[in-house]
Amino acid sequence: NATKEAEQECHELEVDAYLTKPIKREALLDTVFSLVDIEKLNRIKIDSHTPTLKLVQPKTNEQQPEVIDVNTLDKLALLGENKEFMSDLAEVFLNDSKKLINSIIIAHNNSNYHDLAEYAHALKGSAQSIGATGIGNIAALIYKQSLGTNYDSISIKSNSLMQIHDETTSALNKYLDNLEITALN
């Protein structure tokens, strides 16, 4: 809620942070980082040469599809401090995004453009939050098209949506396999 009353209510309730929609990924992460225990942050040694997160190089020269934003994932991994957090986060995202993709396909097939816009908007937001850029970009395009008046221009190919979801699943799994989070002292 972006009203002054909502902001005032949050202030009166001593809420630690307040963001309004549309929530930008960087603003969200910056806000979360600002709320992390300063003592713990001081124990994290971050510089350009010794990252707290270490990505182990894959054993093959196989390129990952550019469907994920590793920088966003690294920031989220820092927040969780363990691989299980990232695995859980990825699993929830992948399950929810698959449901949203199915809902988008059904809404499109039923010419329900209001619901289509809602589902695409939700998918775009969750994808951007976790760094799933491929899914986020497609969802943003569908959302933008669903707000127009020329609904015939909305082209949703269920196979393409499922393919980008599969590519994202594969890329996230590779990321998790290569993620090593060093213990905090």
Side-chain angles (χ1 to χ4, degrees):
N1 192 340
T3 65
K4 289 289 182 191
E5 293 82 15
E7 187 174 3
Q8 180 62 34
E9 183 180 347
C10 288
H11 179 71
E12 289 170 5
L13 293 171
E14 299 178 8
V15 171
D16 293 327
Y18 180 81
L19 294 171
T20 60
K21 283 179 149 184
I23 295 175
K24 303 289 185 206
R25 175 181 58 227
E26 289 298 318
L28 175 62
L29 291 173
D30 289 344
T31 301
V32 171
F33 276 120
S34 75
L35 300 173
V36 174
D37 183 355
I38 297 300
E39 250 182 65
K40 187 181 279 186
L41 279 179
N42 288 336
R43 290 182 292 187
I44 300 174
K45 296 178 175 92
I46 299 177
D47 64 41
S48 60
H49 303 293
T50 2
T52 303
L53 287 178
K54 178 182 174 190
L55 284 175
V56 178
Q57 294 300 320
K59 292 179 179 147
T60 67
N61 291 332
E62 182 181 338
Q63 289 280 53
Q64 287 189 12
E66 292 187 26
V67 294
I68 60 171
D69 177 7
V70 174
N71 289 331
T72 298
L73 290 165
D74 286 348
K75 287 180 181 180
L76 290 169
L78 274 174
L79 290 175
E81 299 179 17
N82 64 52
K83 194 170 180 174
E84 185 178 331
F85 167 79
M86 287 303 293
S87 295
D88 291 347
L89 188 65
E91 181 182 352
V92 168
F93 166 74
L94 291 169
N95 289 336
D96 289 349
S97 62
K98 194 166 201 167
K99 290 175 188 172
L100 284 168
I101 287 170
N102 286 327
S103 296
I104 286 170
I105 293 166
I106 291 168
H108 181 259
N109 291 342
N110 292 332
S111 300
N112 185 341
Y113 300 108
H114 177 268
D115 285 355
L116 176 65
E118 293 291 321
Y119 297 136
H121 188 281
L123 181 60
K124 177 184 76 135
S126 64
Q128 290 174 343
S129 296
I130 196 171
T133 53
I135 291 175
N137 291 339
I138 290 176
L141 178 62
I142 293 169
Y143 176 69
K144 183 178 179 183
Q145 290 175 340
S146 67
L147 295 177
T149 55
N150 184 8
Y151 297 122
D152 294 334
S153 70
I154 301 174
S155 174
I156 297 177
K157 296 182 173 110
S158 58
N159 289 344
S160 297
L161 284 170
M162 290 305 181
Q163 179 181 350
I164 193 74
H165 188 273
D166 291 345
E167 290 173 9
T168 301
T169 300
S170 176
L172 282 172
N173 286 333
K174 284 180 185 176
Y175 173 85
L176 292 170
D177 288 344
N178 294 324
L179 183 64
E180 205 178 285
I181 303 175
T182 60
L184 300 176
N185 296 328

